[in-house]
Amino acid sequence: MFSISREKNSISALNRLTSKDIKEIHKKEKRRSGGKLHEELTSLDVPECCNKSDVFIHKRSATDNKLYTTYSLIRFLCLNDTPGCLQPNRDERLMQVALSMKYNSGCISRKVGAAICDKGGNVLGVGWNDVPVGNVPCSYRSIDNLHKKRGNKAYSEYERSDEFIHHIIKSNKKRYSKVKHEPFCFKQYYQKLKSKSDCKCSKKIKKAEFTRALHAEENAFFQALRRENDLSGCVLYTTDKTCNLCAKKAYQLGISRIVYIEDFPDDAILQTIRTGNRKIKVDQFSGIVGSAYLKLFSTPFPEKDILIHRE
C-alpha cells in the first residue's frame, strides 16, 4: 500500500513540473566543471556517465528502424549470458584500439585516443593528445617548479616570463600552498590572462588554438602518413567528436568515414565535413568497448574444453 501511494505521489509531482522546472533539472543533470562545489558533487552529470559507458546502442542513421536496436540488445544479452559466443565487429575492434591509446595522454583536462585504418580494417596509425616530442606533458609540471624556475626545459620561454608567473601566482593567491605542487593547464591561465588585457583580439582566443598538445587525430595522421603516402578512403576512429581543426585535416587527407564516442556541441560536422563535393560519413559509435569488451568477448575457458565437458 505504501509503495502504491509513493508511486502516485511521484507521478503527481512530475505532472506539476513546468517547462522551466524541466529545463532546470536538465541543466543540473548535465552540469560540468565550473559550477559551485556542492552542485558539482551532487550533480548526476548524465553526459559524463554516458561517455564512461561500455555499451553503446545508437541508431546509425535516420533510416535505421527498431530491428537494429532489437538486434543490438539481443546481441548484448547473448554475450552477457555466454561470454565469447560472438566476435567483436570491426568498429568495436578499432574503437577499442583508439580507447586504449587515450591512457597514454599526459593531458590533465581531457584524454583522447584515435586510430586510423585502411579499407581492409588494418591499423595504419594511432595517436593520443599529447605535447610534441621533446616537451614535458602537463601532468609532470607544477606551479611551484615554474615559480622557482626548476627544470626550465619543461616550461616555455613565455611561461617563464614575469607576466605569466605573476598571473598564475596571483590567480592562486588564496590557495597557493595547496595547489603549488599540482599540475596546471597552460591554456586555462593563458585565456584568463589575455581576457584581462587590452588586446583587441583577446575575445577571439580559442581553446584549441593555444593548447600545448597535439590532438589525438593529428598524431594518428602523422603516424599513418609515415607508412602510407595516401590516406584516401581510410577511416578515423576517435574517442571524442572531431573538432574543426582536425576535421579540416581529415577532409584534406581524404578520410572517408569518422567514428566517435563522445559527443559535444560543435559545428565541425556541419561546417567542415558536410561541404564541397566530397562526402565523409560520420557515425556515433555503437557497440561494446572498454572493460565490457574484455569481459564479453573472452570466454572463461577455451571453447573446446567447454564443448568437451558438455558432451
Side-chain angles (χ1 to χ4, degrees), residues 230-234 247-258 269 272-281:
D230 186 6
L231 298 184
S232 297
C234 290
K248 286 185 283 189
K249 295 179 179 68
Y251 194 98
Q252 182 72 4
L253 290 169
I255 298 298
S256 63
R257 181 172 176 241
I258 298 174
I269 304 302
T272 309
I273 298 298
R274 292 174 182 165
T275 184
N277 56 11
R278 287 187 54 246
K279 288 187 178 180
I280 299 178
K281 190 178 181 183

mmCIF file with all atom_site columns, all heavy atoms in Angstrom, residues 230-234 247-258 269 272-281:
data_model
loop_
_atom_site.group_PDB
_atom_site.id
_atom_site.type_symbol
_atom_site.label_atom_id
_atom_site.label_alt_id
_atom_site.label_comp_id
_atom_site.label_asym_id
_atom_site.label_entity_id
_atom_site.label_seq_id
_atom_site.pdbx_PDB_ins_code
_atom_site.Cartn_x
_atom_site.Cartn_y
_atom_site.Cartn_z
_atom_site.occupancy
_atom_site.B_iso_or_equiv
_atom_site.pdbx_formal_charge
_atom_site.auth_seq_id
_atom_site.auth_comp_id
_atom_site.auth_asym_id
_atom_site.auth_atom_id
_atom_site.pdbx_PDB_model_num
ATOM 1   N N   . ASP A 1 230 ? 49.179 8.029  -49.080 1.00 0.00 ? 230 ASP A N   1
ATOM 2   C CA  . ASP A 1 230 ? 47.815 8.445  -49.385 1.00 0.00 ? 230 ASP A CA  1
ATOM 3   C C   . ASP A 1 230 ? 46.847 7.798  -48.404 1.00 0.00 ? 230 ASP A C   1
ATOM 4   O O   . ASP A 1 230 ? 46.803 6.575  -48.260 1.00 0.00 ? 230 ASP A O   1
ATOM 5   C CB  . ASP A 1 230 ? 47.472 8.026  -50.823 1.00 0.00 ? 230 ASP A CB  1
ATOM 6   C CG  . ASP A 1 230 ? 46.113 8.554  -51.264 1.00 0.00 ? 230 ASP A CG  1
ATOM 7   O OD1 . ASP A 1 230 ? 45.493 9.323  -50.501 1.00 0.00 ? 230 ASP A OD1 1
ATOM 8   O OD2 . ASP A 1 230 ? 45.670 8.177  -52.368 1.00 0.00 ? 230 ASP A OD2 1
ATOM 9   N N   . LEU A 1 231 ? 46.063 8.621  -47.703 1.00 0.00 ? 231 LEU A N   1
ATOM 10  C CA  . LEU A 1 231 ? 45.087 8.114  -46.732 1.00 0.00 ? 231 LEU A CA  1
ATOM 11  C C   . LEU A 1 231 ? 43.660 8.175  -47.278 1.00 0.00 ? 231 LEU A C   1
ATOM 12  O O   . LEU A 1 231 ? 42.699 8.045  -46.517 1.00 0.00 ? 231 LEU A O   1
ATOM 13  C CB  . LEU A 1 231 ? 45.172 8.911  -45.428 1.00 0.00 ? 231 LEU A CB  1
ATOM 14  C CG  . LEU A 1 231 ? 46.501 8.856  -44.673 1.00 0.00 ? 231 LEU A CG  1
ATOM 15  C CD1 . LEU A 1 231 ? 46.393 9.608  -43.351 1.00 0.00 ? 231 LEU A CD1 1
ATOM 16  C CD2 . LEU A 1 231 ? 46.934 7.418  -44.417 1.00 0.00 ? 231 LEU A CD2 1
ATOM 17  N N   . SER A 1 232 ? 43.518 8.364  -48.568 1.00 0.00 ? 232 SER A N   1
ATOM 18  C CA  . SER A 1 232 ? 42.187 8.432  -49.179 1.00 0.00 ? 232 SER A CA  1
ATOM 19  C C   . SER A 1 232 ? 41.426 7.133  -48.926 1.00 0.00 ? 232 SER A C   1
ATOM 20  O O   . SER A 1 232 ? 41.959 6.039  -49.141 1.00 0.00 ? 232 SER A O   1
ATOM 21  C CB  . SER A 1 232 ? 42.300 8.659  -50.685 1.00 0.00 ? 232 SER A CB  1
ATOM 22  O OG  . SER A 1 232 ? 42.925 9.896  -50.957 1.00 0.00 ? 232 SER A OG  1
ATOM 23  N N   . GLY A 1 233 ? 40.194 7.275  -48.448 1.00 0.00 ? 233 GLY A N   1
ATOM 24  C CA  . GLY A 1 233 ? 39.357 6.108  -48.202 1.00 0.00 ? 233 GLY A CA  1
ATOM 25  C C   . GLY A 1 233 ? 39.539 5.486  -46.838 1.00 0.00 ? 233 GLY A C   1
ATOM 26  O O   . GLY A 1 233 ? 38.846 4.517  -46.493 1.00 0.00 ? 233 GLY A O   1
ATOM 27  N N   . CYS A 1 234 ? 40.460 6.023  -46.040 1.00 0.00 ? 234 CYS A N   1
ATOM 28  C CA  . CYS A 1 234 ? 40.691 5.473  -44.699 1.00 0.00 ? 234 CYS A CA  1
ATOM 29  C C   . CYS A 1 234 ? 39.601 5.919  -43.722 1.00 0.00 ? 234 CYS A C   1
ATOM 30  O O   . CYS A 1 234 ? 38.863 6.866  -43.980 1.00 0.00 ? 234 CYS A O   1
ATOM 31  C CB  . CYS A 1 234 ? 42.060 5.914  -44.178 1.00 0.00 ? 234 CYS A CB  1
ATOM 32  S SG  . CYS A 1 234 ? 43.445 5.139  -45.041 1.00 0.00 ? 234 CYS A SG  1
ATOM 33  N N   . ALA A 1 247 ? 38.982 18.178 -38.201 1.00 0.00 ? 247 ALA A N   1
ATOM 34  C CA  . ALA A 1 247 ? 38.033 17.866 -39.276 1.00 0.00 ? 247 ALA A CA  1
ATOM 35  C C   . ALA A 1 247 ? 38.567 18.358 -40.614 1.00 0.00 ? 247 ALA A C   1
ATOM 36  O O   . ALA A 1 247 ? 38.436 17.682 -41.645 1.00 0.00 ? 247 ALA A O   1
ATOM 37  C CB  . ALA A 1 247 ? 36.678 18.509 -38.974 1.00 0.00 ? 247 ALA A CB  1
ATOM 38  N N   . LYS A 1 248 ? 39.204 19.544 -40.615 1.00 0.00 ? 248 LYS A N   1
ATOM 39  C CA  . LYS A 1 248 ? 39.785 20.076 -41.859 1.00 0.00 ? 248 LYS A CA  1
ATOM 40  C C   . LYS A 1 248 ? 40.916 19.186 -42.367 1.00 0.00 ? 248 LYS A C   1
ATOM 41  O O   . LYS A 1 248 ? 41.049 18.952 -43.568 1.00 0.00 ? 248 LYS A O   1
ATOM 42  C CB  . LYS A 1 248 ? 40.292 21.513 -41.628 1.00 0.00 ? 248 LYS A CB  1
ATOM 43  C CG  . LYS A 1 248 ? 39.179 22.541 -41.535 1.00 0.00 ? 248 LYS A CG  1
ATOM 44  C CD  . LYS A 1 248 ? 39.721 23.944 -41.423 1.00 0.00 ? 248 LYS A CD  1
ATOM 45  C CE  . LYS A 1 248 ? 40.231 24.242 -40.034 1.00 0.00 ? 248 LYS A CE  1
ATOM 46  N NZ  . LYS A 1 248 ? 40.573 25.676 -39.868 1.00 0.00 ? 248 LYS A NZ  1
ATOM 47  N N   . LYS A 1 249 ? 41.711 18.677 -41.444 1.00 0.00 ? 249 LYS A N   1
ATOM 48  C CA  . LYS A 1 249 ? 42.807 17.789 -41.832 1.00 0.00 ? 249 LYS A CA  1
ATOM 49  C C   . LYS A 1 249 ? 42.261 16.471 -42.387 1.00 0.00 ? 249 LYS A C   1
ATOM 50  O O   . LYS A 1 249 ? 42.794 15.929 -43.361 1.00 0.00 ? 249 LYS A O   1
ATOM 51  C CB  . LYS A 1 249 ? 43.720 17.534 -40.633 1.00 0.00 ? 249 LYS A CB  1
ATOM 52  C CG  . LYS A 1 249 ? 44.444 18.782 -40.132 1.00 0.00 ? 249 LYS A CG  1
ATOM 53  C CD  . LYS A 1 249 ? 45.297 18.460 -38.927 1.00 0.00 ? 249 LYS A CD  1
ATOM 54  C CE  . LYS A 1 249 ? 46.047 19.693 -38.418 1.00 0.00 ? 249 LYS A CE  1
ATOM 55  N NZ  . LYS A 1 249 ? 45.168 20.706 -37.849 1.00 0.00 ? 249 LYS A NZ  1
ATOM 56  N N   . ALA A 1 250 ? 41.214 15.954 -41.742 1.00 0.00 ? 250 ALA A N   1
ATOM 57  C CA  . ALA A 1 250 ? 40.604 14.703 -42.199 1.00 0.00 ? 250 ALA A CA  1
ATOM 58  C C   . ALA A 1 250 ? 40.033 14.873 -43.606 1.00 0.00 ? 250 ALA A C   1
ATOM 59  O O   . ALA A 1 250 ? 40.178 13.996 -44.473 1.00 0.00 ? 250 ALA A O   1
ATOM 60  C CB  . ALA A 1 250 ? 39.500 14.279 -41.233 1.00 0.00 ? 250 ALA A CB  1
ATOM 61  N N   . TYR A 1 251 ? 39.417 16.009 -43.845 1.00 0.00 ? 251 TYR A N   1
ATOM 62  C CA  . TYR A 1 251 ? 38.844 16.294 -45.164 1.00 0.00 ? 251 TYR A CA  1
ATOM 63  C C   . TYR A 1 251 ? 39.947 16.387 -46.215 1.00 0.00 ? 251 TYR A C   1
ATOM 64  O O   . TYR A 1 251 ? 39.844 15.823 -47.310 1.00 0.00 ? 251 TYR A O   1
ATOM 65  C CB  . TYR A 1 251 ? 38.058 17.604 -45.111 1.00 0.00 ? 251 TYR A CB  1
ATOM 66  C CG  . TYR A 1 251 ? 37.161 17.839 -46.303 1.00 0.00 ? 251 TYR A CG  1
ATOM 67  C CD1 . TYR A 1 251 ? 35.810 17.537 -46.238 1.00 0.00 ? 251 TYR A CD1 1
ATOM 68  C CD2 . TYR A 1 251 ? 37.663 18.371 -47.491 1.00 0.00 ? 251 TYR A CD2 1
ATOM 69  C CE1 . TYR A 1 251 ? 34.973 17.749 -47.331 1.00 0.00 ? 251 TYR A CE1 1
ATOM 70  C CE2 . TYR A 1 251 ? 36.851 18.575 -48.581 1.00 0.00 ? 251 TYR A CE2 1
ATOM 71  C CZ  . TYR A 1 251 ? 35.496 18.268 -48.501 1.00 0.00 ? 251 TYR A CZ  1
ATOM 72  O OH  . TYR A 1 251 ? 34.683 18.465 -49.584 1.00 0.00 ? 251 TYR A OH  1
ATOM 73  N N   . GLN A 1 252 ? 41.014 17.084 -45.875 1.00 0.00 ? 252 GLN A N   1
ATOM 74  C CA  . GLN A 1 252 ? 42.129 17.274 -46.813 1.00 0.00 ? 252 GLN A CA  1
ATOM 75  C C   . GLN A 1 252 ? 42.827 15.954 -47.145 1.00 0.00 ? 252 GLN A C   1
ATOM 76  O O   . GLN A 1 252 ? 43.263 15.737 -48.288 1.00 0.00 ? 252 GLN A O   1
ATOM 77  C CB  . GLN A 1 252 ? 43.134 18.260 -46.225 1.00 0.00 ? 252 GLN A CB  1
ATOM 78  C CG  . GLN A 1 252 ? 44.310 18.586 -47.110 1.00 0.00 ? 252 GLN A CG  1
ATOM 79  C CD  . GLN A 1 252 ? 43.945 19.466 -48.299 1.00 0.00 ? 252 GLN A CD  1
ATOM 80  O OE1 . GLN A 1 252 ? 42.812 19.893 -48.433 1.00 0.00 ? 252 GLN A OE1 1
ATOM 81  N NE2 . GLN A 1 252 ? 44.914 19.715 -49.167 1.00 0.00 ? 252 GLN A NE2 1
ATOM 82  N N   . LEU A 1 253 ? 42.923 15.064 -46.166 1.00 0.00 ? 253 LEU A N   1
ATOM 83  C CA  . LEU A 1 253 ? 43.615 13.799 -46.356 1.00 0.00 ? 253 LEU A CA  1
ATOM 84  C C   . LEU A 1 253 ? 42.755 12.743 -47.055 1.00 0.00 ? 253 LEU A C   1
ATOM 85  O O   . LEU A 1 253 ? 43.246 11.672 -47.393 1.00 0.00 ? 253 LEU A O   1
ATOM 86  C CB  . LEU A 1 253 ? 44.096 13.254 -45.004 1.00 0.00 ? 253 LEU A CB  1
ATOM 87  C CG  . LEU A 1 253 ? 45.235 14.041 -44.343 1.00 0.00 ? 253 LEU A CG  1
ATOM 88  C CD1 . LEU A 1 253 ? 45.439 13.564 -42.913 1.00 0.00 ? 253 LEU A CD1 1
ATOM 89  C CD2 . LEU A 1 253 ? 46.525 13.896 -45.137 1.00 0.00 ? 253 LEU A CD2 1
ATOM 90  N N   . GLY A 1 254 ? 41.484 13.032 -47.235 1.00 0.00 ? 254 GLY A N   1
ATOM 91  C CA  . GLY A 1 254 ? 40.619 12.100 -47.950 1.00 0.00 ? 254 GLY A CA  1
ATOM 92  C C   . GLY A 1 254 ? 39.984 11.033 -47.076 1.00 0.00 ? 254 GLY A C   1
ATOM 93  O O   . GLY A 1 254 ? 39.574 9.974  -47.574 1.00 0.00 ? 254 GLY A O   1
ATOM 94  N N   . ILE A 1 255 ? 39.901 11.272 -45.761 1.00 0.00 ? 255 ILE A N   1
ATOM 95  C CA  . ILE A 1 255 ? 39.245 10.311 -44.861 1.00 0.00 ? 255 ILE A CA  1
ATOM 96  C C   . ILE A 1 255 ? 37.803 10.124 -45.315 1.00 0.00 ? 255 ILE A C   1
ATOM 97  O O   . ILE A 1 255 ? 37.083 11.097 -45.579 1.00 0.00 ? 255 ILE A O   1
ATOM 98  C CB  . ILE A 1 255 ? 39.289 10.820 -43.406 1.00 0.00 ? 255 ILE A CB  1
ATOM 99  C CG1 . ILE A 1 255 ? 40.730 10.961 -42.926 1.00 0.00 ? 255 ILE A CG1 1
ATOM 100 C CG2 . ILE A 1 255 ? 38.502 9.897  -42.486 1.00 0.00 ? 255 ILE A CG2 1
ATOM 101 C CD1 . ILE A 1 255 ? 41.522 9.688  -42.891 1.00 0.00 ? 255 ILE A CD1 1
ATOM 102 N N   . SER A 1 256 ? 37.361 8.890  -45.399 1.00 0.00 ? 256 SER A N   1
ATOM 103 C CA  . SER A 1 256 ? 36.022 8.610  -45.919 1.00 0.00 ? 256 SER A CA  1
ATOM 104 C C   . SER A 1 256 ? 34.969 8.476  -44.827 1.00 0.00 ? 256 SER A C   1
ATOM 105 O O   . SER A 1 256 ? 33.773 8.634  -45.091 1.00 0.00 ? 256 SER A O   1
ATOM 106 C CB  . SER A 1 256 ? 36.041 7.325  -46.758 1.00 0.00 ? 256 SER A CB  1
ATOM 107 O OG  . SER A 1 256 ? 36.397 6.216  -45.952 1.00 0.00 ? 256 SER A OG  1
ATOM 108 N N   . ARG A 1 257 ? 35.410 8.177  -43.603 1.00 0.00 ? 257 ARG A N   1
ATOM 109 C CA  . ARG A 1 257 ? 34.439 7.961  -42.511 1.00 0.00 ? 257 ARG A CA  1
ATOM 110 C C   . ARG A 1 257 ? 35.085 8.311  -41.176 1.00 0.00 ? 257 ARG A C   1
ATOM 111 O O   . ARG A 1 257 ? 36.274 8.053  -40.960 1.00 0.00 ? 257 ARG A O   1
ATOM 112 C CB  . ARG A 1 257 ? 33.977 6.503  -42.508 1.00 0.00 ? 257 ARG A CB  1
ATOM 113 C CG  . ARG A 1 257 ? 32.954 6.146  -41.433 1.00 0.00 ? 257 ARG A CG  1
ATOM 114 C CD  . ARG A 1 257 ? 32.411 4.742  -41.639 1.00 0.00 ? 257 ARG A CD  1
ATOM 115 N NE  . ARG A 1 257 ? 31.513 4.345  -40.574 1.00 0.00 ? 257 ARG A NE  1
ATOM 116 C CZ  . ARG A 1 257 ? 31.700 3.306  -39.747 1.00 0.00 ? 257 ARG A CZ  1
ATOM 117 N NH1 . ARG A 1 257 ? 32.770 2.544  -39.897 1.00 0.00 ? 257 ARG A NH1 1
ATOM 118 N NH2 . ARG A 1 257 ? 30.843 3.023  -38.814 1.00 0.00 ? 257 ARG A NH2 1
ATOM 119 N N   . ILE A 1 258 ? 34.285 8.904  -40.286 1.00 0.00 ? 258 ILE A N   1
ATOM 120 C CA  . ILE A 1 258 ? 34.735 9.229  -38.934 1.00 0.00 ? 258 ILE A CA  1
ATOM 121 C C   . ILE A 1 258 ? 33.775 8.582  -37.946 1.00 0.00 ? 258 ILE A C   1
ATOM 122 O O   . ILE A 1 258 ? 32.552 8.750  -38.057 1.00 0.00 ? 258 ILE A O   1
ATOM 123 C CB  . ILE A 1 258 ? 34.780 10.751 -38.696 1.00 0.00 ? 258 ILE A CB  1
ATOM 124 C CG1 . ILE A 1 258 ? 35.789 11.409 -39.649 1.00 0.00 ? 258 ILE A CG1 1
ATOM 125 C CG2 . ILE A 1 258 ? 35.141 11.063 -37.254 1.00 0.00 ? 258 ILE A CG2 1
ATOM 126 C CD1 . ILE A 1 258 ? 35.791 12.929 -39.581 1.00 0.00 ? 258 ILE A CD1 1
ATOM 127 N N   . ILE A 1 269 ? 31.129 19.227 -37.871 1.00 0.00 ? 269 ILE A N   1
ATOM 128 C CA  . ILE A 1 269 ? 30.472 18.330 -38.828 1.00 0.00 ? 269 ILE A CA  1
ATOM 129 C C   . ILE A 1 269 ? 29.696 19.124 -39.861 1.00 0.00 ? 269 ILE A C   1
ATOM 130 O O   . ILE A 1 269 ? 29.844 18.938 -41.075 1.00 0.00 ? 269 ILE A O   1
ATOM 131 C CB  . ILE A 1 269 ? 29.543 17.340 -38.100 1.00 0.00 ? 269 ILE A CB  1
ATOM 132 C CG1 . ILE A 1 269 ? 30.314 16.540 -37.033 1.00 0.00 ? 269 ILE A CG1 1
ATOM 133 C CG2 . ILE A 1 269 ? 28.889 16.401 -39.107 1.00 0.00 ? 269 ILE A CG2 1
ATOM 134 C CD1 . ILE A 1 269 ? 31.475 15.749 -37.571 1.00 0.00 ? 269 ILE A CD1 1
ATOM 135 N N   . THR A 1 272 ? 32.541 21.923 -41.589 1.00 0.00 ? 272 THR A N   1
ATOM 136 C CA  . THR A 1 272 ? 33.772 21.465 -42.237 1.00 0.00 ? 272 THR A CA  1
ATOM 137 C C   . THR A 1 272 ? 33.623 20.142 -42.983 1.00 0.00 ? 272 THR A C   1
ATOM 138 O O   . THR A 1 272 ? 34.202 19.959 -44.048 1.00 0.00 ? 272 THR A O   1
ATOM 139 C CB  . THR A 1 272 ? 34.897 21.320 -41.181 1.00 0.00 ? 272 THR A CB  1
ATOM 140 O OG1 . THR A 1 272 ? 34.972 22.544 -40.433 1.00 0.00 ? 272 THR A OG1 1
ATOM 141 C CG2 . THR A 1 272 ? 36.229 21.043 -41.827 1.00 0.00 ? 272 THR A CG2 1
ATOM 142 N N   . ILE A 1 273 ? 32.861 19.226 -42.436 1.00 0.00 ? 273 ILE A N   1
ATOM 143 C CA  . ILE A 1 273 ? 32.716 17.897 -43.041 1.00 0.00 ? 273 ILE A CA  1
ATOM 144 C C   . ILE A 1 273 ? 31.665 17.891 -44.140 1.00 0.00 ? 273 ILE A C   1
ATOM 145 O O   . ILE A 1 273 ? 31.896 17.375 -45.243 1.00 0.00 ? 273 ILE A O   1
ATOM 146 C CB  . ILE A 1 273 ? 32.370 16.846 -41.974 1.00 0.00 ? 273 ILE A CB  1
ATOM 147 C CG1 . ILE A 1 273 ? 33.502 16.742 -40.931 1.00 0.00 ? 273 ILE A CG1 1
ATOM 148 C CG2 . ILE A 1 273 ? 32.109 15.490 -42.623 1.00 0.00 ? 273 ILE A CG2 1
ATOM 149 C CD1 . ILE A 1 273 ? 34.824 16.289 -41.491 1.00 0.00 ? 273 ILE A CD1 1
ATOM 150 N N   . ARG A 1 274 ? 30.514 18.461 -43.851 1.00 0.00 ? 274 ARG A N   1
ATOM 151 C CA  . ARG A 1 274 ? 29.423 18.437 -44.826 1.00 0.00 ? 274 ARG A CA  1
ATOM 152 C C   . ARG A 1 274 ? 29.475 19.664 -45.731 1.00 0.00 ? 274 ARG A C   1
ATOM 153 O O   . ARG A 1 274 ? 28.662 20.582 -45.622 1.00 0.00 ? 274 ARG A O   1
ATOM 154 C CB  . ARG A 1 274 ? 28.080 18.342 -44.095 1.00 0.00 ? 274 ARG A CB  1
ATOM 155 C CG  . ARG A 1 274 ? 27.921 16.980 -43.412 1.00 0.00 ? 274 ARG A CG  1
ATOM 156 C CD  . ARG A 1 274 ? 26.690 16.885 -42.576 1.00 0.00 ? 274 ARG A CD  1
ATOM 157 N NE  . ARG A 1 274 ? 26.633 15.573 -41.915 1.00 0.00 ? 274 ARG A NE  1
ATOM 158 C CZ  . ARG A 1 274 ? 25.828 15.297 -40.895 1.00 0.00 ? 274 ARG A CZ  1
ATOM 159 N NH1 . ARG A 1 274 ? 25.019 16.229 -40.418 1.00 0.00 ? 274 ARG A NH1 1
ATOM 160 N NH2 . ARG A 1 274 ? 25.826 14.086 -40.353 1.00 0.00 ? 274 ARG A NH2 1
ATOM 161 N N   . THR A 1 275 ? 30.467 19.658 -46.598 1.00 0.00 ? 275 THR A N   1
ATOM 162 C CA  . THR A 1 275 ? 30.659 20.763 -47.530 1.00 0.00 ? 275 THR A CA  1
ATOM 163 C C   . THR A 1 275 ? 31.423 20.266 -48.753 1.00 0.00 ? 275 THR A C   1
ATOM 164 O O   . THR A 1 275 ? 32.011 19.184 -48.726 1.00 0.00 ? 275 THR A O   1
ATOM 165 C CB  . THR A 1 275 ? 31.447 21.910 -46.844 1.00 0.00 ? 275 THR A CB  1
ATOM 166 O OG1 . THR A 1 275 ? 31.552 23.015 -47.721 1.00 0.00 ? 275 THR A OG1 1
ATOM 167 C CG2 . THR A 1 275 ? 32.847 21.446 -46.468 1.00 0.00 ? 275 THR A CG2 1
ATOM 168 N N   . GLY A 1 276 ? 31.411 21.048 -49.823 1.00 0.00 ? 276 GLY A N   1
ATOM 169 C CA  . GLY A 1 276 ? 32.168 20.683 -51.016 1.00 0.00 ? 276 GLY A CA  1
ATOM 170 C C   . GLY A 1 276 ? 31.577 19.502 -51.763 1.00 0.00 ? 276 GLY A C   1
ATOM 171 O O   . GLY A 1 276 ? 30.436 19.100 -51.538 1.00 0.00 ? 276 GLY A O   1
ATOM 172 N N   . ASN A 1 277 ? 32.399 18.927 -52.648 1.00 0.00 ? 277 ASN A N   1
ATOM 173 C CA  . ASN A 1 277 ? 31.899 17.823 -53.483 1.00 0.00 ? 277 ASN A CA  1
ATOM 174 C C   . ASN A 1 277 ? 32.277 16.454 -52.933 1.00 0.00 ? 277 ASN A C   1
ATOM 175 O O   . ASN A 1 277 ? 32.065 15.442 -53.587 1.00 0.00 ? 277 ASN A O   1
ATOM 176 C CB  . ASN A 1 277 ? 32.437 17.961 -54.917 1.00 0.00 ? 277 ASN A CB  1
ATOM 177 C CG  . ASN A 1 277 ? 33.962 18.031 -54.944 1.00 0.00 ? 277 ASN A CG  1
ATOM 178 O OD1 . ASN A 1 277 ? 34.604 17.779 -53.936 1.00 0.00 ? 277 ASN A OD1 1
ATOM 179 N ND2 . ASN A 1 277 ? 34.516 18.371 -56.096 1.00 0.00 ? 277 ASN A ND2 1
ATOM 180 N N   . ARG A 1 278 ? 32.869 16.410 -51.732 1.00 0.00 ? 278 ARG A N   1
ATOM 181 C CA  . ARG A 1 278 ? 33.172 15.139 -51.092 1.00 0.00 ? 278 ARG A CA  1
ATOM 182 C C   . ARG A 1 278 ? 32.280 14.936 -49.886 1.00 0.00 ? 278 ARG A C   1
ATOM 183 O O   . ARG A 1 278 ? 31.961 15.885 -49.181 1.00 0.00 ? 278 ARG A O   1
ATOM 184 C CB  . ARG A 1 278 ? 34.636 15.090 -50.637 1.00 0.00 ? 278 ARG A CB  1
ATOM 185 C CG  . ARG A 1 278 ? 35.632 14.946 -51.779 1.00 0.00 ? 278 ARG A CG  1
ATOM 186 C CD  . ARG A 1 278 ? 37.040 14.741 -51.237 1.00 0.00 ? 278 ARG A CD  1
ATOM 187 N NE  . ARG A 1 278 ? 37.085 13.620 -50.309 1.00 0.00 ? 278 ARG A NE  1
ATOM 188 C CZ  . ARG A 1 278 ? 37.340 13.732 -49.001 1.00 0.00 ? 278 ARG A CZ  1
ATOM 189 N NH1 . ARG A 1 278 ? 37.537 14.921 -48.466 1.00 0.00 ? 278 ARG A NH1 1
ATOM 190 N NH2 . ARG A 1 278 ? 37.379 12.662 -48.243 1.00 0.00 ? 278 ARG A NH2 1
ATOM 191 N N   . LYS A 1 279 ? 31.898 13.690 -49.655 1.00 0.00 ? 279 LYS A N   1
ATOM 192 C CA  . LYS A 1 279 ? 31.060 13.386 -48.507 1.00 0.00 ? 279 LYS A CA  1
ATOM 193 C C   . LYS A 1 279 ? 31.794 12.431 -47.571 1.00 0.00 ? 279 LYS A C   1
ATOM 194 O O   . LYS A 1 279 ? 32.220 11.357 -47.978 1.00 0.00 ? 279 LYS A O   1
ATOM 195 C CB  . LYS A 1 279 ? 29.736 12.765 -48.951 1.00 0.00 ? 279 LYS A CB  1
ATOM 196 C CG  . LYS A 1 279 ? 28.790 13.757 -49.625 1.00 0.00 ? 279 LYS A CG  1
ATOM 197 C CD  . LYS A 1 279 ? 27.441 13.122 -49.878 1.00 0.00 ? 279 LYS A CD  1
ATOM 198 C CE  . LYS A 1 279 ? 26.480 14.134 -50.501 1.00 0.00 ? 279 LYS A CE  1
ATOM 199 N NZ  . LYS A 1 279 ? 25.149 13.545 -50.760 1.00 0.00 ? 279 LYS A NZ  1
ATOM 200 N N   . ILE A 1 280 ? 31.934 12.851 -46.345 1.00 0.00 ? 280 ILE A N   1
ATOM 201 C CA  . ILE A 1 280 ? 32.549 12.000 -45.322 1.00 0.00 ? 280 ILE A CA  1
ATOM 202 C C   . ILE A 1 280 ? 31.434 11.491 -44.415 1.00 0.00 ? 280 ILE A C   1
ATOM 203 O O   . ILE A 1 280 ? 30.665 12.274 -43.859 1.00 0.00 ? 280 ILE A O   1
ATOM 204 C CB  . ILE A 1 280 ? 33.582 12.782 -44.481 1.00 0.00 ? 280 ILE A CB  1
ATOM 205 C CG1 . ILE A 1 280 ? 34.703 13.293 -45.369 1.00 0.00 ? 280 ILE A CG1 1
ATOM 206 C CG2 . ILE A 1 280 ? 34.146 11.901 -43.372 1.00 0.00 ? 280 ILE A CG2 1
ATOM 207 C CD1 . ILE A 1 280 ? 35.749 14.108 -44.627 1.00 0.00 ? 280 ILE A CD1 1
ATOM 208 N N   . LYS A 1 281 ? 31.355 10.191 -44.269 1.00 0.00 ? 281 LYS A N   1
ATOM 209 C CA  . LYS A 1 281 ? 30.335 9.610  -43.410 1.00 0.00 ? 281 LYS A CA  1
ATOM 210 C C   . LYS A 1 281 ? 30.748 9.773  -41.955 1.00 0.00 ? 281 LYS A C   1
ATOM 211 O O   . LYS A 1 281 ? 31.903 9.505  -41.587 1.00 0.00 ? 281 LYS A O   1
ATOM 212 C CB  . LYS A 1 281 ? 30.147 8.125  -43.735 1.00 0.00 ? 281 LYS A CB  1
ATOM 213 C CG  . LYS A 1 281 ? 28.946 7.494  -43.059 1.00 0.00 ? 281 LYS A CG  1
ATOM 214 C CD  . LYS A 1 281 ? 28.783 6.038  -43.471 1.00 0.00 ? 281 LYS A CD  1
ATOM 215 C CE  . LYS A 1 281 ? 27.559 5.432  -42.785 1.00 0.00 ? 281 LYS A CE  1
ATOM 216 N NZ  . LYS A 1 281 ? 27.406 3.988  -43.112 1.00 0.00 ? 281 LYS A NZ  1
#
